[in-house]
Amino acid sequence: FWVGLSTYRPGGIAEMAVAREETVYVVIEGELVVTAEGTETVLGRLDSVHFAKGEVRSLENRSGRAAVLLVAIAHPQEVGE
């Protein structure tokens, strides 16, 4: 897995995109709105969501304070593994 932290300032977005690999988001602080398959879900502190490879999703911080997101993305398997 690749693991990183992203900070979304108020009004910050990650536009609609395809998950290239299996992905997990965990909100560490703040609140983010996740949109996937036409459904919006509000994630708060310590909420998480899983996206399968190929799933289309976006993120938006609609709150008035910064949000911190832990992102874990699976490494693709090599051929023959």
Side-chain angles (χ1 to χ4, degrees):
F1 285 88
W2 173 91
V3 178
L5 282 177
S6 296
T7 300
Y8 288 85
R9 295 180 184 185
I13 64 169
E15 295 195 16
M16 202 61 80
V18 174
R20 293 178 147 188
E21 298 298 334
E22 193 170 2
T23 302
V24 174
Y25 292 160
V26 181
V27 176
I28 303 299
E29 290 293 333
E31 182 178 283
L32 291 166
V33 177
V34 178
T35 303
E37 300 193 17
T39 301
E40 288 187 353
T41 303
V42 178
L43 299 180
R45 186 174 183 272
L46 301 181
D47 287 339
S48 62
V49 64
H50 168 265
F51 298 103
K53 182 177 180 176
E55 200 167 351
V56 178
R57 79 286 187 250
S58 67
L59 282 170
E60 183 177 1
N61 183 350
R62 296 180 185 166
S63 76
R65 63 183 200 144
V68 178
L69 182 69
L70 181 137
V71 180
I73 302 173
H75 282 288
Q77 286 190 326
E78 298 293 326
V79 175
E81 286 186 24

